[in-house]
């Protein structure tokens, strides 16, 4: 009896110990697994530039930063159903954009980088830093980001009506009727407001550096919102330009003066804006490659050549019979001024806004500074003729390099060797 009791006690203790050991092992396994996961997430966060980004954001005093959410990978996966292919909105140079839904019901656009490439990470981080400083109705908002995933992920407000490039040149359902004159005029005004704000209303001016219709999105009310700030730059107030040894931008929209001097100014954005206006007026694509030996077709050049003599002929046939001619003329003239060969002769965004607003309202402000009245036609005619000739030369130079100028490619060099301003993220920091 005594022996049986001792044996039972002994086995009870052994079982208890066994259970304890199994429990301990299970707990240890869970602990190590969680620890490894955490370490991996921390490594990814670091590799994706998270520490730098945190440093940049916390050093800023403005309260907008507080609204920027750092999402966990779980939240992002849930929002996009594990980056389901059904949710793809589109693909760009930087990565794939998915439609997602946050736990609070907000619909978002989730941009996932293509690969873990230092330059792309730099572009992503740059976009976060720039966009968190901005709050404007005509600029796409950023809600947050996630850097603990394999590749960096950015979360933006969802813009439901596509971009202006698709509207003008794509096979959009009802695109012909949707792209009416009123909408084009509003797009021109909204984009001007966005650029005017970037150039002069924020603490330090920001040059967008990739103004094009593909980067102008349309919200639920068809109001335009400027997007894609991967290559944009914050300029210190005392600087007038940004020197980039390698020219970056999109063919057809690229300022020829910047192409030659490598100095990017606010007027380089103005030039690209001029191309957008020409595109809105003519419905033509800004840059079309032709079979050799022909030069690529550049809208800016053709527009400058034709707008004075035969404006009505070059207007997009889809709007020709249904547009406000006074507005068309104003837009065409502004476009022409923006496309001036010399940056210093191009108008500022604020003067363009004034002009567009003046024409847009029924009671024009007679005191406003009218850029159109100061337009010296004769001087310009000669200049534009030179511009057309020279642009062809530039064309040859840029296309002989076989590839049109690639913004993304040159980004790293751009960042590393920007001399006029401190780069936001010097390359060696990655
Ligand atoms: N906030 C958004 N809401 C809805 N759709 C979006 C949003 N941002 C981007 N998209 C869509 O996702 C697609 C890819 O956009 P993205 O900005 O990555 O590339 P892109 O501007 O077309 O090209 P690139 O970055 O090379 O200039 C585009 O078709 C765009 O219309």
């Amino acid at each position: 009896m005594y022996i049986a009791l001792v044996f039972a006690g002994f086995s009870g203790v052994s079982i208890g110990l066994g259970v304890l050991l199994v429990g301990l092992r299970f707990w240890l396994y869970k602990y190590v697994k969680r620890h490894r996961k955490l370490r991996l997430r921390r490594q990814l966060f670091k590799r994706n530039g998270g520490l730098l980004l945190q440093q940049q954001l916390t050093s800023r005093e403005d309260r907008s930063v507080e609204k920027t959410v750092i999402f966990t990978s779980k939240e992002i996966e849930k929002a996009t159903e594990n980056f389901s292919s059904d949710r793809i909105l589109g693909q760009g140079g930087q990565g794939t954009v998915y439609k997602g839904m946050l736990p609070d019901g907000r619909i978002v656009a989730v941009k996932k980088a293509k690969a873990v490439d230092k330059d792309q990470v730099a572009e992503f981080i740059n976009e976060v830093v720039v966009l968190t400083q901005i709050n404007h109705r005509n600029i796409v908002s950023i809600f947050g980001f996630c850097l603990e995933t394999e590749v960096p992920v950015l979360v933006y407000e969802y813009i439901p009506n596509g971009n202006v490039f698709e509207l003008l040149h794509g096979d959009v359902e009802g695109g012909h009727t949707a792209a009416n004159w009123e909408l084009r005029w509003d797009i021109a005004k909204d984009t001007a407001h966005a650029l005017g704000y970037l150039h002069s209303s924020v603490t330090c001016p920001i040059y967008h550096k990739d103004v094009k219709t593909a980067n102008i999105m349309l919200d639920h009310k068809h109001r335009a919102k400027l997007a894609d700030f991967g290559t944009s730059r914050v300029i210190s107030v005392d600087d007038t330009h940004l020197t980039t040894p390698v020219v970056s931008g999109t063919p057809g929209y690229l300022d020829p003066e910047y192409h030659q001097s490598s100095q990017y100014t606010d007027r380089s954005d103005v030039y690209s804006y001029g191309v957008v206006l020409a595109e809105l007026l003519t419905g033509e694509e800004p840059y079309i490659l032709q079979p050799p030996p022909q030069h690529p077709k550049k809208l800016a050049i053709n527009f400058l050549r034709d707008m004075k003599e035969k404006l009505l002929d070059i207007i997009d046939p889809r709007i020709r019979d249904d547009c406000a001619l006074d507005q068309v003329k104003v837009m065409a003239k502004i476009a022409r001024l923006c496309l001036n060969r010399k940056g210093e002769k191009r108008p500022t965004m604020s003067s363009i806004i004034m002009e567009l607003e003046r024409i847009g309202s029924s009671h024009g402000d007679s005191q406003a500074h009218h850029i159109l009245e100061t337009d010296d036609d004769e001087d310009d005619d000669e200049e534009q003729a030179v511009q057309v000739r020279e642009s062809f030369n530039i064309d040859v130079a840029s296309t002989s390099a076989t590839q049109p100028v690639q913004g993304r490619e040159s980004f790293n060099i751009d960042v590393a060797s920007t001399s006029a301003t401190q780069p936001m993220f010097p390359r060696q920091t990655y």
Side-chain angles (χ1 to χ4, degrees):
M1 175 73 180
Y2 179 71
I3 292 173
L5 266 176
V6 169
F7 183 73
F10 201 69
S11 7
V13 170
S14 314
I15 291 171
L17 264 174
V19 170
L20 201 74
L21 267 175
V22 171
L24 201 71
R25 263 189 77 177
F26 183 70
W27 180 82
L28 253 174
Y29 168 76
K30 281 271 183 199
Y31 175 82
V32 170
K33 205 172 149 190
R34 191 162 353 121
H35 191 73
R36 271 201 200 132
K37 245 189 189 168
L38 247 165
R39 204 172 56 190
L40 178 72
R41 274 163 48 183
R42 232 179 269 144
Q43 275 171 355
L44 288 171
F45 187 78
K46 203 172 156 192
R47 189 185 67 184
N48 290 335
L51 296 180
L52 257 166
L53 181 59
Q54 253 178 353
Q55 212 178 335
Q56 288 274 334
L57 295 183
T58 45
S59 65
R60 290 222 323 257
E61 282 161 14
D62 55 312
R63 298 188 66 83
S64 60
V65 172
E66 289 167 23
K67 288 190 213 141
T68 315
V69 181
I70 301 182
F71 292 98
T72 64
S73 45
K74 253 194 188 155
E75 286 169 325
I76 296 293
E77 279 155 15
K78 203 166 167 199
T80 58
E81 290 174 332
N82 270 321
F83 296 105
S84 156
S85 53
D86 299 342
R87 290 180 167 262
I88 293 180
L89 288 169
Q91 228 144 6
Q94 281 179 300
T96 309
V97 183
Y98 298 81
K99 187 173 176 178
M101 190 163 86
L102 297 180
D104 63 8
R106 268 184 301 175
I107 306 289
V108 287
V110 179
K111 194 193 268 187
K112 186 182 175 196
K114 252 185 191 163
V116 207
D117 160 318
K118 276 186 186 168
D119 305 331
Q120 261 196 353
V121 169
E123 270 193 41
F124 260 60
I125 304 286
N126 185 59
E127 183 148 5
V128 176
V129 174
V130 173
L131 276 179
T132 49
Q133 302 180 45
I134 292 170
N135 181 15
H136 191 270
R137 67 178 188 284
N138 298 120
I139 296 177
V140 70
S141 308
I142 191 161
F143 288 159
F145 56 90
C146 174
L147 298 176
E148 54 176 52
T149 30
E150 269 302 313
V151 288
V153 168
L154 301 188
V155 182
Y156 308 89
E157 65 171 314
Y158 171 68
I159 319 278
N161 284 312
N163 62 56
V164 176
F165 187 90
E166 290 163 355
L167 179 87
L168 292 176
H169 317 296
D171 207 6
V172 183
E173 206 181 316
H176 279 237
T177 42
N180 60 29
W181 173 252
E182 222 176 301
L183 176 59
R184 294 181 200 215
W185 179 256
D186 284 345
I187 291 168
K189 277 210 297 190
D190 291 346
T191 311
H193 278 286
L195 285 170
Y197 169 82
L198 290 178
H199 290 178
S200 51
S201 303
V202 280
T203 343
C204 285
I206 295 172
Y207 301 163
H208 184 279
K209 291 193 82 224
D210 200 13
V211 177
K212 57 179 178 179
T213 47
N215 286 338
I216 303 169
M217 316 259 333
L218 294 168
D219 73 5
H220 62 290
K221 286 184 180 161
H222 279 89
R223 295 314 300 229
K225 287 195 182 238
L226 191 59
D228 202 349
F229 284 72
T231 51
S232 56
R233 284 287 173 278
V234 182
I235 307 298
S236 79
V237 236
D238 302 327
D239 285 324
T240 54
H241 65 269
L242 181 75
T243 307
T244 68
V246 174
V247 171
S248 67
T250 303
Y253 295 93
L254 198 67
D255 168 14
E257 194 176 56
Y258 164 56
H259 192 277
Q260 283 176 325
S261 69
S262 301
Q263 294 195 341
Y264 201 96
T265 71
D266 58 340
R267 310 303 161 93
S268 309
D269 273 353
V270 169
Y271 181 91
S272 308
Y273 175 75
V275 179
V276 168
L277 294 188
E279 211 175 330
L280 289 169
L281 285 162
T282 62
E284 298 275 338
E285 285 192 35
Y287 189 89
I288 302 171
L289 283 171
Q290 308 265 67
Q294 293 178 77
H295 297 297
K297 225 167 117 186
K298 279 179 95 177
L299 173 61
I301 295 170
N302 295 345
F303 180 81
L304 287 176
R305 190 191 55 211
D306 298 335
M307 63 98 30
K308 273 202 161 174
E309 304 296 316
K310 41 182 180 175
L311 179 61
L312 281 183
D313 293 343
I314 61 167
I315 296 271
D316 188 342
R318 293 174 290 181
I319 51 164
R320 200 174 288 151
D321 298 329
D322 199 14
C323 58
L325 210 55
D326 52 340
Q327 290 181 340
V328 166
K329 281 184 187 159
V330 167
M331 198 193 279
K333 211 159 183 187
I334 294 175
R336 180 168 157 269
L337 295 174
C338 293
L339 296 175
N340 197 301
R341 183 172 55 101
K342 289 192 185 139
E344 73 205 28
K345 289 208 164 190
R346 294 173 204 149
T348 59
M349 281 318 302
S350 45
S351 58
I352 293 172
I353 293 169
M354 269 206 263
E355 204 57 42
L356 289 171
E357 289 298 342
R358 191 177 68 85
I359 298 299
S361 65
S362 49
H363 46 82
D365 170 12
S366 56
Q367 295 305 309
H369 171 66
H370 300 168
I371 51 170
L372 303 186
E373 283 163 18
T374 57
D375 173 25
D376 187 340
D377 276 5
E378 273 179 30
D379 258 17
D380 275 1
D381 281 346
E382 179 47 30
E383 252 174 42
Q384 302 296 15
V386 177
Q387 179 172 354
V388 169
R389 283 196 300 273
E390 286 188 359
S391 298
F392 271 112
N393 294 336
I394 289 167
D395 225 26
V396 176
S398 67
T399 50
S400 64
T402 60
Q403 282 301 311
V405 188
Q406 288 298 319
R408 306 293 181 212
E409 265 173 32
S410 49
F411 177 84
N412 48 0
I413 305 163
D414 216 27
V415 173
S417 43
T418 298
S419 61
T421 37
Q422 270 304 314
M424 298 167 78
F425 289 100
R427 251 183 114 196
Q428 63 271 24
T429 47
Y430 284 99

